[in-house]
Amino acid sequence: MDELKYLRLLSEHYKTPEAVANRIINLSAIRSLPKGTEYFFSDLHGEYEAFLHLLKSASGMIQTKIDMVFGKALTSDIRTQLANLIYYPEETMEKRRKDKTLNDEWRRITIYQLIQVSEAVSAKYTRSRVRNRMPEEYRYILDELLNVTDDINKDFYFNEIINAIIDTDIADAFICELSKLIQRTSIDQVHIIGDIFDRGPRADIIMNELIKFGEVDFQWGNHDISWMGAALGNKTLIAIVLRISMAYNNLDVLEDGYGINLRPLFEFADKVYTDEMCDAYMPHTLDNNVYDKIDTHLVAKMHKAITVIQLKLEGQMIKAHPEYEMDARNMLEKIDYEQMTIEIDGKVYPLKDTQFPTIDPENPLALSEQEEELMEMLALSFQHSSMLQKHIHYLYQNGSMYKKVNDNLLYHGCVPINEDGTFTSIEIDGVSYSGKALLDCINDKVAKAFYSSDWKEKKDAQDYMWYLWCGPNSPLFGKNKMATFEGYFLEDASLKKEQYKSYYTLFEQEKICDMIMDEFGMNKDKGHIINGHVPVKIKDGESPIKANGKLFIIDGGISKAYQSATGIAGYTLIYDSHALRLAEHKPFDPSGDNTPNVQIVKKMSRRVNIGDTDKGQRLKDEICDLRKLLEAYRKGLIN
């Protein structure tokens, strides 16, 4: 575009030289402020209670601020009580109300303490940014309390305002809103490095909270991709999503969270497996359903019914896409239905479960008429769930295969690498891709599954989302196979083992991390790779810090399903203006101490300002354009 034409367009927003100058001064001032605090989470797997606590507590950093402000003035117990009030204001106030300890003196002291904490957490932000995070009804009062100038008798001014708050009977609501302001200003940006869904009870609650928070980006994981594909109507992925939900007895997320009608599956399973107990399919109940308390024996029947359907649909998917090169995973066609055995790598194994009332041995991949009807009804339910569609649309709008932000490269699974340390070349639609180009191509493919107006292209992209879930060359999966069949039907433990690809051994080497960062245009001397997907077994001596601090694996087991293996309950990586910190969390206890162990993994040589960040570069570019506009005004090129 012609530069003068662009400057004329820009002048529509800044109509005078004075307006341009003011904007330049404002942006320059913002660039000089300390950077906001970024939080990196991974593999949340529906554990909404634990995650919401991490969000409300800023992964323990609010407690750190309280200790910094009041360390010498308040006892440890009182500081902890203040932290818990900030995390759970309504619940804390209600408890005090019942205990009859909610009085005006407590209100007065608490408001004063909360103001001091709020000043500490908001000190590095502009007044306008903090003001925008304030509730509208209390914006004036909060703004006054947080910005008292030195020429005013501060104590007297505070006392007058706080007395008025109490006298007008808004103190309790004000305390709650002030607590939430501290929560909102403690975290500037949230990065979710994949896998919000599956295993845990309520991924929908996590999604609602993230949408409300707003400053969020996602790097999709394979569990996210499966739900995204299911919401678009891919029946294979619908079966997978339902099977995992049945396996963990997570019915509330389906029926209460997303309004998915499970009655057709309930009726089908109860009819087909009337005389079978399906004990091998009993769910792993880590959390009890609140709204949908179906008998676990019936859930086991539903679990088996959808498992068989999944295996049939996966077989059909493999046959429809020979380019996936996954014929070895077409398990139902490999069964000898007379002997009830299966041959794998030249060895014959007996099946644990031999009851297949819905499988035709002559055509084992064909859905029965009843199964066809069931999947049609379920697909309609997924596609017509307004809440699910809202969440998936948000994942599309704010998500991607990877993200480069402030010298950090974020992705969930891996960048496929050969054993010799070179990037793996993978063919998609007849073209070979590797490294960054591969992830860019996959990103485009996932977008086509949602946005394409070409039916064939859209269908092909939706099918490919199944490959991303479990394909051996999928950067989101990163293993040689998804051993679903072996887990259900075979005893031999060696057959159930899923081997991680070479990336997960090579990433220990600095030169490999440097190669990846070079490929993505990162500064390898300053940059880091932040990864999820693989639970870090700290109890076995594993460390989340790899390659001499160049790569972090932050899947530490927030999911209850992994905590016995990892020994902890996940990590949060925290990047503020002073340091890069790693918070190691305990299994969440609603009534106990959830303060994490926080260690500094990299201290900045100087305080990082907004000018040093990606946002700072964007502001610098804007200032450059504004200076050109100012010059055009002064030369009379624009009137």
Side-chain angles (χ1 to χ4, degrees):
M1 180 186 293
D2 176 74
E3 186 172 89
L4 189 57
K5 185 178 180 181
Y6 167 69
L7 293 177
R8 286 196 179 102
L9 288 173
L10 193 58
S11 70
E12 292 296 317
H13 294 280
Y14 306 100
K15 297 183 183 297
T16 65
E18 292 76 17
V20 178
N22 282 333
R23 181 63 175 168
I24 290 171
I25 294 165
N26 183 33
L27 295 181
S28 299
I30 291 172
R31 276 174 48 83
S32 70
L33 291 171
K35 77 176 286 295
T37 306
E38 298 172 79
Y39 281 72
F40 303 82
F41 301 98
S42 173
D43 296 85
L44 305 178
H45 286 299
E47 297 290 351
Y48 74 100
E49 286 187 311
F51 175 67
L52 295 192
H53 179 77
L54 298 185
L55 209 57
K56 290 172 187 292
S57 67
S59 292
M61 294 305 291
I62 289 177
Q63 179 75 64
T64 301
K65 286 287 186 185
I66 291 171
D67 292 343
M68 181 185 75
V69 174
F70 297 113
K72 295 180 180 178
L74 301 177
T75 66
S76 175
D77 284 348
I78 292 175
R79 297 199 304 271
T80 299
Q81 288 174 27
L82 181 59
N84 286 330
L85 168 67
I86 293 169
Y87 308 157
Y88 305 105
E90 287 91 352
E91 294 87 340
T92 302
M93 301 284 281
E94 183 58 30
K95 185 175 186 303
R96 282 192 166 274
R97 197 170 284 111
K98 288 180 178 177
D99 294 344
K100 302 189 185 306
T101 56
L102 190 62
N103 54 56
D104 287 350
E105 182 63 19
W106 179 86
R107 291 183 176 100
R108 183 175 290 102
I109 292 170
T110 299
I111 292 172
Y112 188 79
Q113 290 171 342
L114 290 174
I115 290 166
Q116 290 181 278
V117 176
S118 188
E119 284 178 335
V121 299
S122 63
K124 61 184 175 183
Y125 299 118
T126 61
R127 286 182 65 173
S128 62
R129 185 171 178 82
V130 176
R131 194 181 297 118
N132 287 338
R133 297 194 176 194
M134 295 174 181
E136 190 171 349
E137 60 270 33
Y138 300 117
R139 191 167 291 164
Y140 173 78
I141 304 171
L142 287 166
D143 198 31
E144 288 295 305
L145 287 170
L146 293 176
N147 297 287
V148 179
T149 57
D150 293 334
D151 60 343
I152 291 177
N153 184 330
K154 196 169 185 176
D155 288 340
F156 176 75
Y157 191 68
F158 272 12
N159 284 335
E160 287 298 300
I161 293 178
I162 292 170
N163 286 338
I165 289 169
I166 293 170
D167 290 344
T168 55
D169 209 23
I170 64 167
D172 293 357
F174 186 78
I175 287 169
C176 290
E177 291 301 332
L178 187 48
S179 297
K180 290 174 185 176
L181 177 63
I182 293 168
Q183 291 179 26
R184 286 191 289 267
T185 50
S186 295
I187 301 177
D188 192 56
Q189 179 75 31
V190 170
H191 308 287
I192 306 292
I193 307 178
D195 283 358
I196 290 172
F197 294 91
D198 293 331
R199 299 194 181 96
R202 295 299 296 268
D204 61 300
I205 294 177
I206 292 175
M207 285 299 302
N208 284 332
E209 197 66 29
L210 291 173
I211 291 171
K212 193 190 308 179
F213 183 83
E215 301 295 325
V216 182
D217 56 71
F218 304 89
Q219 293 71 59
W220 303 317
N222 61 326
H223 288 268
D224 304 317
I225 283 289
S226 65
W227 276 82
M228 290 161 69
L232 298 178
N234 184 305
K235 292 175 185 175
T236 312
L237 290 171
I238 288 171
I240 289 166
V241 163
L242 289 172
R243 177 186 62 79
I244 295 173
S245 294
M246 298 303 116
Y248 289 91
N249 199 24
N250 289 338
L251 307 186
D252 280 352
V253 68
L254 293 166
E255 293 214 306
D256 184 61
Y258 290 128
I260 305 298
N261 183 10
L262 294 179
R263 188 163 188 82
L265 177 58
F266 158 86
E267 292 176 344
F268 172 81
D270 195 38
K271 181 178 180 180
V272 171
Y273 298 103
T274 300
D275 300 323
E276 191 178 340
M277 292 301 293
C278 299
D279 289 339
Y281 300 86
M282 290 294 286
H284 312 289
T285 303
L286 301 175
D287 299 273
N288 292 318
N289 291 305
V290 176
Y291 300 98
D292 203 345
K293 299 180 180 180
I294 298 177
D295 178 77
T296 52
H297 287 284
L298 182 51
V299 176
K301 293 179 180 182
M302 296 163 71
H303 184 187
K304 178 171 182 178
I306 203 66
T307 299
V308 173
I309 290 172
Q310 175 190 325
L311 293 170
K312 288 182 177 184
L313 292 173
E314 286 188 320
Q316 293 178 23
M317 185 76 76
I318 290 166
K319 290 176 81 70
H321 292 278
E323 71 275 16
Y324 294 170
E325 298 181 348
M326 290 182 65
D327 188 60
R329 302 306 304 159
N330 190 354
M331 308 304 282
L332 294 187
E333 287 198 332
K334 301 182 187 306
I335 293 175
D336 180 335
Y337 288 94
E338 289 186 1
Q339 301 298 320
M340 285 300 171
T341 59
I342 188 169
E343 184 177 331
I344 300 175
D345 296 330
K347 186 174 178 181
V348 176
Y349 299 89
L351 301 182
K352 289 195 298 183
D353 183 358
T354 60
Q355 303 299 311
F356 299 117
T358 66
I359 291 181
D360 175 5
E362 298 299 318
N363 190 7
L365 302 183
L367 296 183
S368 69
E369 185 178 338
Q370 292 76 20
E371 286 172 326
E372 290 275 14
E373 291 176 1
L374 170 64
M375 292 311 298
E376 284 294 330
M377 286 187 282
L378 289 169
L380 287 171
S381 195
F382 271 78
Q383 289 174 292
H384 292 158
S385 166
S386 59
M387 185 60 72
L388 179 58
Q389 295 301 322
K390 175 185 175 182
H391 289 175
I392 297 309
H393 192 225
Y394 192 75
L395 277 176
Y396 262 101
Q397 287 182 315
N398 298 278
S400 56
M401 287 292 293
Y402 69 92
K403 186 177 181 68
K404 299 192 297 181
V405 56
N406 299 334
D407 296 315
N408 294 308
L409 175 61
L410 323 179
Y411 52 81
H412 174 72
C414 68
V415 180
I417 296 176
N418 300 316
E419 290 181 8
D420 65 1
T422 58
F423 289 115
T424 305
S425 182
I426 295 168
E427 190 173 295
I428 301 176
D429 298 331
V431 181
S432 292
Y433 300 91
S434 63
K436 178 179 179 295
L438 173 65
L439 268 61
D440 286 336
C441 175
I442 291 173
N443 205 84
D444 291 344
K445 189 105 172 164
V446 174
K448 288 173 183 175
F450 187 85
Y451 295 108
S452 178
S453 57
D454 183 302
W455 181 86
K456 187 176 183 303
E457 183 179 64
K458 192 183 190 84
K459 173 69 165 58
D460 179 70
Q462 290 177 5
D463 285 357
Y464 191 74
M465 293 174 82
W466 172 78
Y467 183 87
L468 289 174
W469 158 253
C470 64
N473 283 322
S474 164
L476 298 183
F477 180 49
K479 299 179 186 177
N480 66 328
K481 66 179 181 182
M482 180 83 76
T484 306
F485 179 89
E486 291 87 340
Y488 284 98
F489 296 102
L490 302 177
E491 291 284 3
D492 193 324
S494 66
L495 296 173
K496 303 174 188 179
K497 190 169 181 59
E498 300 172 348
Q499 297 285 348
Y500 281 105
K501 306 291 271 191
S502 53
Y503 170 88
Y504 293 100
T505 52
L506 294 174
F507 69 6
E508 299 275 3
Q509 302 176 27
E510 280 190 67
K511 66 177 183 179
I512 294 296
C513 293
D514 286 345
M515 179 186 77
I516 293 171
M517 284 192 275
D518 278 340
E519 171 72 6
F520 284 83
M522 306 291 293
N523 184 334
K524 63 187 177 187
D525 296 321
K526 294 171 59 180
H528 311 91
I529 297 169
I530 306 176
N531 224 164
H533 193 51
V534 183
V536 178
K537 299 176 182 176
I538 196 168
K539 73 182 186 65
D540 294 340
E542 293 183 6
S543 170
I545 306 171
K546 311 290 184 183
N548 198 27
K550 292 209 167 182
L551 185 145
F552 297 92
I553 294 279
I554 59 170
D555 178 7
I558 192 173
S559 170
K560 295 186 185 78
Y562 289 135
Q563 287 172 10
S564 61
T566 63
I568 58 168
Y571 296 102
T572 308
L573 196 63
I574 305 163
Y575 181 24
D576 63 19
S577 58
H578 295 290
L580 197 60
R581 294 176 169 86
L582 191 66
E584 179 187 295
H585 301 286
K586 309 168 188 174
F588 179 67
D589 179 359
S591 58
D593 178 16
N594 294 290
T595 305
N597 174 32
V598 181
Q599 62 170 311
I600 293 176
V601 293
K602 184 176 180 179
K603 189 171 179 59
M604 302 299 128
S605 57
R606 62 171 178 79
R607 195 167 193 188
V608 181
N609 294 326
I610 290 174
D612 302 312
T613 67
D614 297 344
K615 179 182 178 181
Q617 183 58 51
R618 291 192 296 272
L619 295 180
K620 184 179 180 181
D621 293 341
E622 187 178 344
I623 289 170
C624 181
D625 290 342
L626 289 167
R627 288 191 183 280
K628 291 177 182 178
L629 176 61
L630 187 60
E631 184 180 3
Y633 270 124
R634 288 172 175 169
K635 288 182 176 180
L637 298 174
I638 296 175
N639 297 319

